[in-house]
Amino acid sequence: MGLLYGLIAVGLALIFGLMDVTNFAHGEFLMIAMYLSFFLFAFFAIDPLLSAPLVAAALFIFGAVVYLLIVRFAMRAKANAGMVQIFTTFGLAIVMRGLAQYFFTPDYRSIPQSWLGGKTISIAGIFLPEPQLVGALVSIAAFAGLYFFIHRTDFGRALEATREDPGAVALVGIDKNRVFAFGWGLGAALVGLAGAIMAVFFYIYPDVGASFALIAYVTVALGGFGSVFGAFAGGIIVGLVEAVTALVLPPSLKSVGIYAVYLLVVFIRPRGLFGSI
Amino acid sequence: MDKDFAARRRRDLIIAAVLAAIAALTPLFVKDVVVQNILILTLMYAGLSQSWNILSGYCGQISLGHALYFGLGAYTTELLFMKFGVLPWFGMLAGGVVSALIAMGLGYPFFRLRGHYFVIATIVIAEIGLLLFHNWEWAGAAMGITIPIRGDSWLKFQFLRTKLPYFYFALALCCLAWFVTWWLEDSKWGFWWRAVKDNPDAAESLGVDVFNSKMGAAAVSAFLVAVGGSFYAQFVSYIDPESVMGFQFSLLMALPAVLGGIGTLWGPVLGAAILIPLTELTRFKFGGSGRGVDLIVYGTLIVLISLALPRGLLSLFARPKKTGVSR
């Protein structure tokens, strides 16, 4: 489970953590991705596992468009930049939820049969549910990919440089909007991947994103903003803490452990575990 | 301070008195219960947002966890009333004091955090409160508390046949929050807060007690919000964790101030006066379909206003030359 949180958080780590743009609509990106894979399954009988790249691609475009149409202007605000970002993306989240209710109705949906759904695999006597396992593997791959991408490619360096100093970056000929639009697309594509996998074993409804979004923020902040590895570590910690809390406290309180650990960590290290900003 | 500032403060006070007088007279003309309801909510949110604005606007410590204090106010009042028969008036005070103390207790570790880390911490602490109340059997857990109806009385702050007393209380709360803000704006605290907001390090080096000024702002802010929570509980006479401590309250408190003009005296009132009737009307007009049209309209408005007017609606009225003073 922890790695799944990690997978949701990795996209956010890119947008929120690396570009320092608050995105309160991250959970709604996840919701859209889950609906996409549901409809691809319902109408074309494409298994969520196969459609995952399609969903990711669609979300990439969606993320880039959201950046170019809305977030770009929110970032331009000279006053209260933080609040403008929070409320613009929050407004967007509400609109997306409203649209989902309008077009998809508030009904709970699920994908009844898929290659992975409901199956378990036994490794050395331990039974693991397959969807979670695949989720974990994809999550590790996504983190490794992102880590490589940020630290080893020109684009990654451009992204970090743009966050640090957009003015200086413009002087050396990097188009800030192009870099950030690509970053948003990539972040959305990653959450699209998470959504496609989660669609297999989670109910899909318009508010589904809200329950995961806060944990994703906590995961990113726990690891520390500006650190891909931090978000990965954060995801694992969150998953472990949740599992342990669920053993000790009633299930409805399982998130309390996660939140308490976050508070504990930032009280000791105010920039998260591996944070740089 | 210079003359301009003193004159503006006097003018603000007069405008506020006139507005309050006009507001106090509206029930004479507005007999429709639905409209009265909207007016009460508008005044309540104006008061709440004004209180939120003290910590988040003036002092710059953005809190998205004020639902915690709202809920604590509501729960303290009702639990004291239900379990110990304490009158809501005292419960209200108790709720305020409890919230202020908790705000200061939390402030001790919280105010070392900055930026996103602080905002997320405030969201998380409110969420912990919500979950704890959800599981607290003695306090009604997820079922919540239904406040027993004991008939109209000022003593018990309960009114069945008329909404007018609620209206006047909401008005009083709104005026109180406004007046506290007005008064603090020109106090030592007010100047310290603005210094802390603009640049905490510079403020510290100039001898501003940064930590204690944040604590002061948090306590005042939490106290007023908790009183609002107590009022809301009496007004709707049913509370459950989700309906008084949910994340949406934190946002609903922040929105009017942000839309009207964060860190300004008039921003929250203006924002609430526009936003709350709009919210209620869209819900009234489109909400019945259950298909989310109200959400679409509401969300679009938030996006458009925050993009078009990052300083808030109040910036429309600001005379360009005086921006330094009018903030």
Tab-separated table of all heavy atoms in Angstrom, chain A residues 205-256:
chain	number	residue	atom	x	y	z
A	205	TYR	N	-15.547	6.966	-7.869
A	205	TYR	CA	-16.638	7.928	-7.696
A	205	TYR	C	-16.049	9.326	-7.706
A	205	TYR	O	-14.824	9.499	-7.560
A	205	TYR	CB	-17.402	7.637	-6.398
A	205	TYR	CG	-16.543	7.534	-5.164
A	205	TYR	CD1	-16.412	8.624	-4.310
A	205	TYR	CD2	-15.862	6.358	-4.846
A	205	TYR	CE1	-15.609	8.536	-3.177
A	205	TYR	CE2	-15.079	6.279	-3.725
A	205	TYR	CZ	-14.948	7.366	-2.896
A	205	TYR	OH	-14.152	7.285	-1.789
A	206	PRO	N	-16.900	10.346	-7.911
A	206	PRO	CA	-16.352	11.688	-8.148
A	206	PRO	C	-15.459	12.229	-7.028
A	206	PRO	O	-14.546	12.995	-7.294
A	206	PRO	CB	-17.607	12.556	-8.300
A	206	PRO	CG	-18.636	11.630	-8.820
A	206	PRO	CD	-18.356	10.307	-8.176
A	207	ASP	N	-15.705	11.835	-5.773
A	207	ASP	CA	-14.908	12.383	-4.684
A	207	ASP	C	-13.724	11.506	-4.297
A	207	ASP	O	-13.069	11.759	-3.296
A	207	ASP	CB	-15.780	12.569	-3.438
A	207	ASP	CG	-16.760	13.720	-3.626
A	207	ASP	OD1	-16.564	14.489	-4.588
A	207	ASP	OD2	-17.704	13.830	-2.839
A	208	VAL	N	-13.447	10.464	-5.079
A	208	VAL	CA	-12.434	9.498	-4.672
A	208	VAL	C	-11.075	10.160	-4.449
A	208	VAL	O	-10.312	9.771	-3.574
A	208	VAL	CB	-12.321	8.336	-5.682
A	208	VAL	CG1	-11.824	8.824	-7.019
A	208	VAL	CG2	-11.432	7.244	-5.149
A	209	GLY	N	-10.796	11.203	-5.251
A	209	GLY	CA	-9.474	11.819	-5.171
A	209	GLY	C	-9.186	12.445	-3.825
A	209	GLY	O	-8.068	12.382	-3.313
A	210	ALA	N	-10.234	13.033	-3.218
A	210	ALA	CA	-10.029	13.787	-1.981
A	210	ALA	C	-9.371	12.932	-0.901
A	210	ALA	O	-8.507	13.408	-0.164
A	210	ALA	CB	-11.357	14.335	-1.478
A	211	SER	N	-9.749	11.661	-0.831
A	211	SER	CA	-9.226	10.837	0.250
A	211	SER	C	-7.746	10.516	0.059
A	211	SER	O	-7.040	10.248	1.026
A	211	SER	CB	-10.035	9.549	0.368
A	211	SER	OG	-10.285	9.004	-0.894
A	212	PHE	N	-7.303	10.555	-1.178
A	212	PHE	CA	-5.892	10.248	-1.411
A	212	PHE	C	-5.014	11.483	-1.477
A	212	PHE	O	-3.822	11.411	-1.226
A	212	PHE	CB	-5.736	9.456	-2.709
A	212	PHE	CG	-6.259	8.067	-2.603
A	212	PHE	CD1	-7.477	7.731	-3.148
A	212	PHE	CD2	-5.549	7.103	-1.918
A	212	PHE	CE1	-7.976	6.446	-3.033
A	212	PHE	CE2	-6.039	5.822	-1.788
A	212	PHE	CZ	-7.253	5.495	-2.347
A	213	ALA	N	-5.638	12.614	-1.827
A	213	ALA	CA	-4.839	13.812	-2.068
A	213	ALA	C	-4.074	14.229	-0.815
A	213	ALA	O	-2.870	14.468	-0.868
A	213	ALA	CB	-5.723	14.948	-2.557
A	214	LEU	N	-4.783	14.270	0.331
A	214	LEU	CA	-4.113	14.755	1.540
A	214	LEU	C	-2.928	13.866	1.894
A	214	LEU	O	-1.857	14.345	2.256
A	214	LEU	CB	-5.100	14.819	2.708
A	214	LEU	CG	-4.508	15.358	4.002
A	214	LEU	CD1	-3.947	16.763	3.797
A	214	LEU	CD2	-5.539	15.373	5.108
A	215	ILE	N	-3.136	12.541	1.759
A	215	ILE	CA	-2.030	11.633	2.067
A	215	ILE	C	-0.867	11.861	1.104
A	215	ILE	O	0.301	11.794	1.494
A	215	ILE	CB	-2.519	10.172	2.049
A	215	ILE	CG1	-3.511	9.988	3.201
A	215	ILE	CG2	-1.364	9.193	2.186
A	215	ILE	CD1	-3.992	8.586	3.411
A	216	ALA	N	-1.198	12.191	-0.146
A	216	ALA	CA	-0.125	12.472	-1.103
A	216	ALA	C	0.650	13.726	-0.702
A	216	ALA	O	1.878	13.753	-0.758
A	216	ALA	CB	-0.691	12.626	-2.512
A	217	TYR	N	-0.072	14.776	-0.258
A	217	TYR	CA	0.637	15.990	0.182
A	217	TYR	C	1.547	15.659	1.354
A	217	TYR	O	2.698	16.090	1.416
A	217	TYR	CB	-0.340	17.078	0.642
A	217	TYR	CG	-1.297	17.532	-0.403
A	217	TYR	CD1	-2.654	17.587	-0.152
A	217	TYR	CD2	-0.844	17.905	-1.664
A	217	TYR	CE1	-3.545	17.993	-1.113
A	217	TYR	CE2	-1.732	18.305	-2.641
A	217	TYR	CZ	-3.079	18.343	-2.368
A	217	TYR	OH	-3.963	18.728	-3.316
A	218	VAL	N	0.974	14.897	2.299
A	218	VAL	CA	1.753	14.548	3.482
A	218	VAL	C	2.992	13.751	3.081
A	218	VAL	O	4.088	13.995	3.575
A	218	VAL	CB	0.892	13.756	4.484
A	218	VAL	CG1	1.740	13.181	5.598
A	218	VAL	CG2	-0.190	14.650	5.066
A	219	THR	N	2.807	12.820	2.140
A	219	THR	CA	3.938	12.010	1.692
A	219	THR	C	5.053	12.881	1.129
A	219	THR	O	6.224	12.713	1.475
A	219	THR	CB	3.472	11.020	0.607
A	219	THR	OG1	2.351	10.296	1.097
A	219	THR	CG2	4.570	10.062	0.232
A	220	VAL	N	4.662	13.807	0.257
A	220	VAL	CA	5.668	14.663	-0.370
A	220	VAL	C	6.361	15.527	0.677
A	220	VAL	O	7.589	15.655	0.704
A	220	VAL	CB	5.026	15.549	-1.459
A	220	VAL	CG1	6.049	16.521	-2.013
A	220	VAL	CG2	4.468	14.689	-2.570
A	221	ALA	N	5.556	16.110	1.591
A	221	ALA	CA	6.142	17.003	2.588
A	221	ALA	C	7.003	16.228	3.586
A	221	ALA	O	8.032	16.715	4.042
A	221	ALA	CB	5.043	17.764	3.319
A	222	LEU	N	6.567	15.027	3.899
A	222	LEU	CA	7.321	14.176	4.821
A	222	LEU	C	8.719	13.918	4.275
A	222	LEU	O	9.721	14.000	4.976
A	222	LEU	CB	6.578	12.858	5.011
A	222	LEU	CG	7.124	11.837	5.994
A	222	LEU	CD1	6.998	12.374	7.396
A	222	LEU	CD2	6.353	10.539	5.884
A	223	GLY	N	8.773	13.606	2.975
A	223	GLY	CA	10.063	13.342	2.351
A	223	GLY	C	10.865	14.617	2.171
A	223	GLY	O	12.083	14.583	2.117
A	224	GLY	N	10.144	15.739	2.087
A	224	GLY	CA	10.822	17.008	1.880
A	224	GLY	C	10.662	17.498	0.458
A	224	GLY	O	10.842	16.738	-0.496
A	225	PHE	N	10.296	18.767	0.328
A	225	PHE	CA	10.098	19.318	-1.013
A	225	PHE	C	11.413	19.371	-1.758
A	225	PHE	O	12.462	19.613	-1.173
A	225	PHE	CB	9.505	20.720	-0.923
A	225	PHE	CG	8.090	20.687	-0.452
A	225	PHE	CD1	7.770	21.056	0.829
A	225	PHE	CD2	7.090	20.241	-1.296
A	225	PHE	CE1	6.465	21.000	1.277
A	225	PHE	CE2	5.788	20.180	-0.866
A	225	PHE	CZ	5.470	20.557	0.425
A	226	GLY	N	11.330	19.111	-3.042
A	226	GLY	CA	12.516	19.223	-3.866
A	226	GLY	C	13.321	17.943	-3.931
A	226	GLY	O	14.396	17.905	-4.510
A	227	SER	N	12.807	16.870	-3.340
A	227	SER	CA	13.579	15.633	-3.363
A	227	SER	C	12.724	14.469	-3.868
A	227	SER	O	11.711	14.128	-3.255
A	227	SER	CB	14.091	15.326	-1.951
A	227	SER	OG	14.505	13.985	-1.873
A	228	VAL	N	13.115	13.889	-4.983
A	228	VAL	CA	12.386	12.744	-5.523
A	228	VAL	C	12.551	11.547	-4.604
A	228	VAL	O	11.597	10.850	-4.266
A	228	VAL	CB	12.908	12.376	-6.934
A	228	VAL	CG1	12.174	11.150	-7.463
A	228	VAL	CG2	12.732	13.531	-7.881
A	229	PHE	N	13.776	11.346	-4.150
A	229	PHE	CA	14.038	10.230	-3.258
A	229	PHE	C	13.230	10.382	-1.966
A	229	PHE	O	12.690	9.415	-1.436
A	229	PHE	CB	15.537	10.133	-2.932
A	229	PHE	CG	15.855	9.005	-1.999
A	229	PHE	CD1	15.805	7.692	-2.450
A	229	PHE	CD2	16.164	9.256	-0.667
A	229	PHE	CE1	16.071	6.644	-1.580
A	229	PHE	CE2	16.434	8.211	0.203
A	229	PHE	CZ	16.387	6.906	-0.260
A	230	GLY	N	13.116	11.627	-1.503
A	230	GLY	CA	12.351	11.896	-0.298
A	230	GLY	C	10.907	11.449	-0.443
A	230	GLY	O	10.354	10.824	0.461
A	231	ALA	N	10.304	11.751	-1.597
A	231	ALA	CA	8.905	11.372	-1.803
A	231	ALA	C	8.759	9.853	-1.796
A	231	ALA	O	7.782	9.304	-1.277
A	231	ALA	CB	8.394	11.948	-3.119
A	232	PHE	N	9.753	9.179	-2.370
A	232	PHE	CA	9.746	7.718	-2.405
A	232	PHE	C	9.833	7.171	-0.979
A	232	PHE	O	9.018	6.339	-0.559
A	232	PHE	CB	10.933	7.226	-3.250
A	232	PHE	CG	11.023	5.737	-3.368
A	232	PHE	CD1	10.049	5.025	-4.049
A	232	PHE	CD2	12.104	5.040	-2.817
A	232	PHE	CE1	10.133	3.656	-4.172
A	232	PHE	CE2	12.184	3.673	-2.938
A	232	PHE	CZ	11.196	2.973	-3.613
A	233	ALA	N	10.786	7.684	-0.231
A	233	ALA	CA	10.936	7.270	1.167
A	233	ALA	C	9.670	7.599	1.939
A	233	ALA	O	9.178	6.793	2.738
A	233	ALA	CB	12.140	7.970	1.801
A	234	GLY	N	9.118	8.791	1.690
A	234	GLY	CA	7.884	9.200	2.349
A	234	GLY	C	6.766	8.204	2.088
A	234	GLY	O	6.034	7.825	3.005
A	235	GLY	N	6.664	7.756	0.844
A	235	GLY	CA	5.623	6.801	0.490
A	235	GLY	C	5.753	5.512	1.278
A	235	GLY	O	4.769	4.979	1.795
A	236	ILE	N	6.988	5.024	1.373
A	236	ILE	CA	7.196	3.767	2.098
A	236	ILE	C	6.871	3.946	3.578
A	236	ILE	O	6.165	3.132	4.185
A	236	ILE	CB	8.655	3.279	1.926
A	236	ILE	CG1	8.862	2.872	0.473
A	236	ILE	CG2	8.955	2.122	2.861
A	236	ILE	CD1	10.264	2.476	0.134
A	237	ILE	N	7.342	5.073	4.157
A	237	ILE	CA	7.071	5.318	5.578
A	237	ILE	C	5.567	5.395	5.816
A	237	ILE	O	5.036	4.771	6.734
A	237	ILE	CB	7.760	6.620	6.036
A	237	ILE	CG1	9.275	6.437	5.976
A	237	ILE	CG2	7.313	7.002	7.438
A	237	ILE	CD1	10.060	7.699	6.218
A	238	VAL	N	4.876	6.156	4.947
A	238	VAL	CA	3.433	6.313	5.107
A	238	VAL	C	2.731	4.961	5.078
A	238	VAL	O	1.866	4.670	5.904
A	238	VAL	CB	2.874	7.261	4.025
A	238	VAL	CG1	1.356	7.126	3.906
A	238	VAL	CG2	3.221	8.703	4.355
A	239	GLY	N	3.137	4.113	4.141
A	239	GLY	CA	2.519	2.799	4.044
A	239	GLY	C	2.758	1.953	5.287
A	239	GLY	O	1.844	1.330	5.813
A	240	LEU	N	4.019	1.970	5.767
A	240	LEU	CA	4.341	1.185	6.963
A	240	LEU	C	3.575	1.697	8.176
A	240	LEU	O	2.980	0.927	8.922
A	240	LEU	CB	5.851	1.256	7.240
A	240	LEU	CG	6.742	0.464	6.293
A	240	LEU	CD1	8.215	0.701	6.611
A	240	LEU	CD2	6.423	-1.031	6.389
A	241	VAL	N	3.590	3.030	8.332
A	241	VAL	CA	2.916	3.615	9.492
A	241	VAL	C	1.426	3.268	9.470
A	241	VAL	O	0.846	2.915	10.487
A	241	VAL	CB	3.108	5.146	9.501
A	241	VAL	CG1	2.199	5.794	10.537
A	241	VAL	CG2	4.555	5.484	9.808
A	242	GLU	N	0.851	3.328	8.259
A	242	GLU	CA	-0.574	3.025	8.172
A	242	GLU	C	-0.834	1.577	8.590
A	242	GLU	O	-1.774	1.302	9.349
A	242	GLU	CB	-1.078	3.249	6.752
A	242	GLU	CG	-2.578	3.192	6.680
A	242	GLU	CD	-3.071	3.120	5.260
A	242	GLU	OE1	-2.680	2.179	4.541
A	242	GLU	OE2	-3.827	4.003	4.873
A	243	ALA	N	0.011	0.670	8.108
A	243	ALA	CA	-0.171	-0.746	8.446
A	243	ALA	C	-0.045	-0.971	9.947
A	243	ALA	O	-0.847	-1.675	10.557
A	243	ALA	CB	0.854	-1.588	7.701
A	244	VAL	N	0.958	-0.330	10.559
A	244	VAL	CA	1.162	-0.501	11.995
A	244	VAL	C	-0.001	0.108	12.780
A	244	VAL	O	-0.529	-0.494	13.716
A	244	VAL	CB	2.506	0.121	12.438
A	244	VAL	CG1	2.636	0.098	13.956
A	244	VAL	CG2	3.658	-0.622	11.790
A	245	THR	N	-0.416	1.326	12.370
A	245	THR	CA	-1.525	1.981	13.075
A	245	THR	C	-2.778	1.125	13.013
A	245	THR	O	-3.515	1.011	13.995
A	245	THR	CB	-1.843	3.350	12.457
A	245	THR	OG1	-0.650	3.941	12.017
A	245	THR	CG2	-2.532	4.239	13.467
A	246	ALA	N	-2.996	0.510	11.853
A	246	ALA	CA	-4.204	-0.295	11.685
A	246	ALA	C	-4.219	-1.481	12.636
A	246	ALA	O	-5.271	-1.973	13.015
A	246	ALA	CB	-4.322	-0.769	10.241
A	247	LEU	N	-3.028	-1.938	13.030
A	247	LEU	CA	-2.961	-3.052	13.988
A	247	LEU	C	-3.309	-2.598	15.397
A	247	LEU	O	-3.910	-3.319	16.173
A	247	LEU	CB	-1.553	-3.654	14.004
A	247	LEU	CG	-1.122	-4.452	12.769
A	247	LEU	CD1	0.327	-4.906	12.937
A	247	LEU	CD2	-2.027	-5.643	12.582
A	248	VAL	N	-2.892	-1.367	15.727
A	248	VAL	CA	-3.022	-0.887	17.097
A	248	VAL	C	-4.369	-0.199	17.341
A	248	VAL	O	-4.999	-0.396	18.366
A	248	VAL	CB	-1.874	0.093	17.423
A	248	VAL	CG1	-1.903	0.482	18.891
A	248	VAL	CG2	-0.538	-0.536	17.059
A	249	LEU	N	-4.789	0.627	16.378
A	249	LEU	CA	-5.993	1.434	16.550
A	249	LEU	C	-7.105	0.906	15.657
A	249	LEU	O	-6.859	0.143	14.728
A	249	LEU	CB	-5.687	2.892	16.196
A	249	LEU	CG	-4.699	3.632	17.103
A	249	LEU	CD1	-4.370	4.986	16.516
A	249	LEU	CD2	-5.270	3.786	18.499
A	250	PRO	N	-8.360	1.309	15.927
A	250	PRO	CA	-9.434	0.916	15.022
A	250	PRO	C	-9.168	1.423	13.596
A	250	PRO	O	-8.523	2.453	13.429
A	250	PRO	CB	-10.675	1.602	15.614
A	250	PRO	CG	-10.219	2.411	16.760
A	250	PRO	CD	-8.828	2.062	17.076
A	251	PRO	N	-9.640	0.678	12.589
A	251	PRO	CA	-9.303	1.000	11.201
A	251	PRO	C	-9.644	2.437	10.801
A	251	PRO	O	-8.931	3.051	10.012
A	251	PRO	CB	-10.134	0.009	10.378
A	251	PRO	CG	-10.859	-0.858	11.337
A	251	PRO	CD	-10.482	-0.527	12.714
A	252	SER	N	-10.717	2.975	11.385
A	252	SER	CA	-11.094	4.331	10.971
A	252	SER	C	-10.069	5.361	11.436
A	252	SER	O	-10.080	6.496	11.000
A	252	SER	CB	-12.478	4.679	11.521
A	252	SER	OG	-12.514	4.479	12.911
A	253	LEU	N	-9.179	4.954	12.316
A	253	LEU	CA	-8.173	5.896	12.809
A	253	LEU	C	-6.815	5.704	12.137
A	253	LEU	O	-5.837	6.310	12.539
A	253	LEU	CB	-8.002	5.727	14.320
A	253	LEU	CG	-9.037	6.417	15.212
A	253	LEU	CD1	-8.846	6.008	16.650
A	253	LEU	CD2	-8.943	7.923	15.082
A	254	LYS	N	-6.773	4.857	11.104
A	254	LYS	CA	-5.448	4.510	10.580
A	254	LYS	C	-4.675	5.708	10.022
A	254	LYS	O	-3.463	5.721	10.093
A	254	LYS	CB	-5.562	3.405	9.523
A	254	LYS	CG	-6.292	3.798	8.277
A	254	LYS	CD	-6.370	2.647	7.304
A	254	LYS	CE	-7.104	3.065	6.043
A	254	LYS	NZ	-7.280	2.002	5.090
A	255	SER	N	-5.409	6.725	9.512
A	255	SER	CA	-4.691	7.890	8.985
A	255	SER	C	-4.062	8.732	10.082
A	255	SER	O	-3.115	9.468	9.827
A	255	SER	CB	-5.634	8.763	8.165
A	255	SER	OG	-6.274	7.996	7.189
A	256	VAL	N	-4.613	8.630	11.298
A	256	VAL	CA	-4.075	9.448	12.393
A	256	VAL	C	-2.583	9.189	12.576
A	256	VAL	O	-1.800	10.111	12.773
A	256	VAL	CB	-4.838	9.157	13.709
A	256	VAL	CG1	-4.134	9.803	14.884
A	256	VAL	CG2	-6.256	9.671	13.612
